[in-house]
Amino acid sequence: MYSVSVRDSMMVAHSFTGEVFGPAQRLHGATFVVDLEFRRPELDPDGIVVDIGKATEVLKTILSALSFRNLDEEPAFAGKNTTTEFLARVVFDRTADAIVRGELGSHAHGITSLRVALHESHVAWAAFEGPLKTT
Amino acid sequence: MYSVSVRDSMMVAHSFTGEVFGPAQRLHGATFVVDLEFRRPELDPDGIVVDIGKATEVLKTILSALSFRNLDEEPAFAGKNTTTEFLARVVFDRTADAIVRGELGSHAHGITSLRVALHESHVAWAAFEGPLKTT
Amino acid sequence: MYSVSVRDSMMVAHSFTGEVFGPAQRLHGATFVVDLEFRRPELDPDGIVVDIGKATEVLKTILSALSFRNLDEEPAFAGKNTTTEFLARVVFDRTADAIVRGELGSHAHGITSLRVALHESHVAWAAFEGPLKTT
Amino acid sequence: MYSVSVRDSMMVAHSFTGEVFGPAQRLHGATFVVDLEFRRPELDPDGIVVDIGKATEVLKTILSALSFRNLDEEPAFAGKNTTTEFLARVVFDRTADAIVRGELGSHAHGITSLRVALHESHVAWAAFEGPLKTT
Amino acid sequence: MYSVSVRDSMMVAHSFTGEVFGPAQRLHGATFVVDLEFRRPELDPDGIVVDIGKATEVLKTILSALSFRNLDEEPAFAGKNTTTEFLARVVFDRTADAIVRGELGSHAHGITSLRVALHESHVAWAAFEGPLKTT
Amino acid sequence: MYSVSVRDSMMVAHSFTGEVFGPAQRLHGATFVVDLEFRRPELDPDGIVVDIGKATEVLKTILSALSFRNLDEEPAFAGKNTTTEFLARVVFDRTADAIVRGELGSHAHGITSLRVALHESHVAWAAFEGPLKTT
């Protein structure tokens, strides 16, 4: 299995609901350094997993829609705790959608799975990984 | 699959038996920077993989029982080479036990696998990963 | 010149005033990974720059007073942009105060300067460094 | 599953063919920081995954044969784009061959899979992983 | 003294003249991860060292003029070994020029010194630092 | 001022004397990732700060004389606490001696200062820096 990963980051405010979160129930914030990994069993005709320029652009677009915001006020996340693992899934789903829409090029349909990791500090990170649905 | 990882470290002395270890047959030491990853297919009702506060505390407790010690004198490791990969397994087993004992909270029973990585230098690391036994 | 550094982190929400900040004028957040460096020309009688246990504790205390908060609502920062460089200075001043109060031990009076670096992402960080005032 | 990883690096020049590569169609270069991971389900009789001294030596030898070269002029890669993912596969195949030749010691035949990751910058990396053919 | 740093990277081919360079006399390449630090004794009226958006843009522009090129063919470097330390100086000088031209904003004239570090691998880096000439 | 840095590591056992060290009074160990920085105001005739091959070799030799040992039994350190900051000074002094002995080449006499940093974990490091005595 081949993979290619690109890294970018976002800066958000949010708060959590539930005693398990302790002081993180208060409004606070985080920088998430995001690693987006594309996987496929065979390289495309250019000898690559994905167009790294397009991959970088797609990740930047997805993170720009989240960054410099208070996620507590985003309608898309109403009633949800926007935990690191939850946000990893959000980036996963939006990347999968971008592939379906062709934003990563026609060869990107050969990508079979993704892994999204969000680093929230030097001692904690979370990830979501899974196969892409084929249509 | 979702995952959450936390990082801590320990500092130990030890020596190895066997020609393959070369100068590491002498008493020496290591800092192990330890990454402990929890995995589960679905988030718990709070939208998390594991209570990160409890995860950090459990890792700290496991490493405190090993750190600032000469592992050659630990009865639990008698007759064993406490290699990086062996110690990764030790941390894995002790974390699995902590989950069974409920130290990571009741929702932690949804955790299906763990990965423990020990970084011994800027150019070498080892890991042990595997499923958790369900009872 | 000898130095010892310890690292910890904080997670805050805030917003900035001024066109130069672009989208960061909106309420957002950041993880700051904080490196606190103590410097002195000679080691103390124990052969150290500072008691690393106390240094770690002092840094944790200073960051806990800032972390998991919306800095826009902190009276101490009213009318100020809590930029990364500004916060580096805040941590510097509070560490200097802790030394004067003796929280780093009596030998810590031999510390002559500090450097505080705050990493806000994988591609940006800020710092404040300077001598300690001697009384 | 146990794993041990070692890290080294190489510095190469090359150019790519295909519009998808944009400015990378020009002759340029890269440092690849290479992580080579060995995996096996059980430790060998010495309590290790692989002789880390031999693993380090094998990786250095493989990278030395690629480093400080213009890969466009290497006969082995004629007509190929020596992309990061392609080179990850090259290092994978050459490590697999070294195991078969016994360069990692007789116990290395218990190694069941490898993963090779090449970091090309602070924001991009690629990898190839797969099982080792058993004979 | 306050500082702000931003990071970006470039990928170049080059070769060196002189026996001291050993195999690096052959055409090869490197990724340079570049850290550009701006320093000033007092913050500007916005509470910052430099407009980080402009700083990022200026660094990107400087690196784009060097990246994806064979530096042996650049007229500006004819007869020079484009070593890591030499290139650190090049980025320093071009950043100093950008400040003079006003590309970092009018408040950037308060910047008193710069440091440019180029990381060429996980085990080697070089830097140039110095005061800015005031006119 | 120009600088070049190289990185290597060592693994040692030791114990400390003094209540300030808490559990580190017991025999334990550490990996020290060592960064050795050479500084000079002007480049040498080859356009470099130091022969990086020789610098790497000298650092390796210095660390090999310390690594895979119990420092409590080294006659050179009798009666001393081999703290991280103390060991940074040891590496500094031994590098300075190597320069005087010509092991870094004749141009290395233009090096005016050194900085040695020892990373003992992901959250703690120490350094010693100073000018080289000219004769």
Side-chain angles (χ1 to χ4, degrees), chain F residues 79-99:
Chain F
K80 296 285 187 183
N81 278 324
T82 54
T83 60
T84 312
E85 41 272 63
F86 174 89
L87 290 171
R89 177 64 179 269
V90 168
V91 175
F92 178 98
D93 287 343
R94 294 184 181 186
T95 306
D97 289 349
I99 292 173

Side-chain angles (χ1 to χ4, degrees), chain B residues 100-117:
Chain B
V100 169
R101 285 195 303 269
E103 295 176 16
L104 283 144
S106 59
H107 295 318
H109 293 290
I111 296 167
T112 53
S113 64
L114 300 175
R115 182 175 190 269
V116 179

Side-chain angles (χ1 to χ4, degrees), chain B:
Chain B
M1 182 67 68
Y2 290 92
S3 66
V4 160
S5 299
V6 292
R7 172 172 286 189
D8 202 340
S9 64
M10 59 174 165
M11 305 181 93
V12 303
H14 57 175
S15 64
F16 298 142
T17 299
E19 277 183 40
V20 69
F21 296 105
Q25 295 175 86
R26 300 197 298 255
L27 182 64
H28 64 287
T31 305
F32 292 111
V33 176
V34 183
D35 296 340
L36 171 54
E37 182 178 84
F38 302 86
R39 298 172 180 160
R40 61 192 299 163
E42 299 296 338
L43 297 181
D44 81 2
D46 290 308
I48 56 177
V49 166
V50 68
D51 178 338
I52 201 168
K54 285 193 168 69
T56 300
E57 201 56 44
V58 161
L59 179 57
K60 185 187 292 292
T61 300
I62 290 171
L63 298 189
S64 293
L66 296 168
S67 201
F68 296 120
R69 278 172 175 79
N70 178 356
L71 299 184
D72 293 355
E73 300 178 349
E74 292 295 301
F77 306 141
K80 296 285 188 185
N81 279 323
T82 55
T83 60
T84 312
E85 40 273 64
F86 174 89
L87 291 171
R89 177 64 180 269
V90 169
V91 175
F92 177 97
D93 286 343
R94 295 184 180 185
T95 305
D97 289 348
I99 291 173
V100 169
R101 285 195 303 269
E103 295 176 16
L104 283 144
S106 59
H107 295 318
H109 293 290
I111 296 167
T112 53
S113 64
L114 300 175
R115 182 175 190 269
V116 179
L118 270 68
H119 302 261
E120 71 177 67
S121 78
H122 64 304
V123 292
W125 54 98
F128 181 76
E129 63 182 300
L132 290 176
K133 289 186 196 84
T134 53
T135 46

Side-chain angles (χ1 to χ4, degrees), chain E residues 20, chain F residues 38 50-59 102-106:
Chain E
V20 70
Chain F
F38 301 87
V50 68
D51 179 338
I52 202 168
K54 284 192 169 69
T56 299
E57 202 56 44
V58 161
L59 180 57
E103 294 176 17
L104 284 144
S106 58

Side-chain angles (χ1 to χ4, degrees), chain A:
Chain A
M1 182 67 67
Y2 291 93
S3 67
V4 159
S5 299
V6 292
R7 173 172 286 188
D8 202 339
S9 64
M10 60 173 162
M11 305 180 93
V12 303
H14 58 175
S15 64
F16 298 142
T17 299
E19 277 182 40
V20 70
F21 296 106
Q25 295 174 86
R26 300 197 297 256
L27 182 65
H28 63 287
T31 305
F32 293 112
V33 176
V34 182
D35 296 341
L36 171 54
E37 182 178 83
F38 301 86
R39 299 172 180 161
R40 60 192 299 163
E42 301 295 337
L43 297 181
D44 82 1
D46 290 308
I48 56 176
V49 166
V50 68
D51 179 337
I52 201 168
K54 284 192 169 68
T56 300
E57 201 57 44
V58 161
L59 180 57
K60 184 187 293 293
T61 300
I62 290 171
L63 298 188
S64 292
L66 296 167
S67 201
F68 296 120
R69 278 172 177 77
N70 178 357
L71 299 184
D72 292 355
E73 300 178 350
E74 292 294 302
F77 307 141
K80 296 285 188 183
N81 279 324
T82 55
T83 61
T84 313
E85 41 273 62
F86 174 88
L87 291 171
R89 177 65 179 268
V90 169
V91 175
F92 177 97
D93 287 342
R94 294 184 181 185
T95 305
D97 289 348
I99 292 173
V100 169
R101 283 196 305 268
E103 295 176 16
L104 283 144
S106 59
H107 295 318
H109 292 289
I111 296 167
T112 53
S113 65
L114 300 175
R115 182 176 189 270
V116 178
L118 270 68
H119 303 260
E120 71 178 68
S121 78
H122 64 304
V123 291
W125 53 97
F128 181 77
E129 62 183 302
L132 290 176
K133 290 188 196 83
T134 53
T135 46

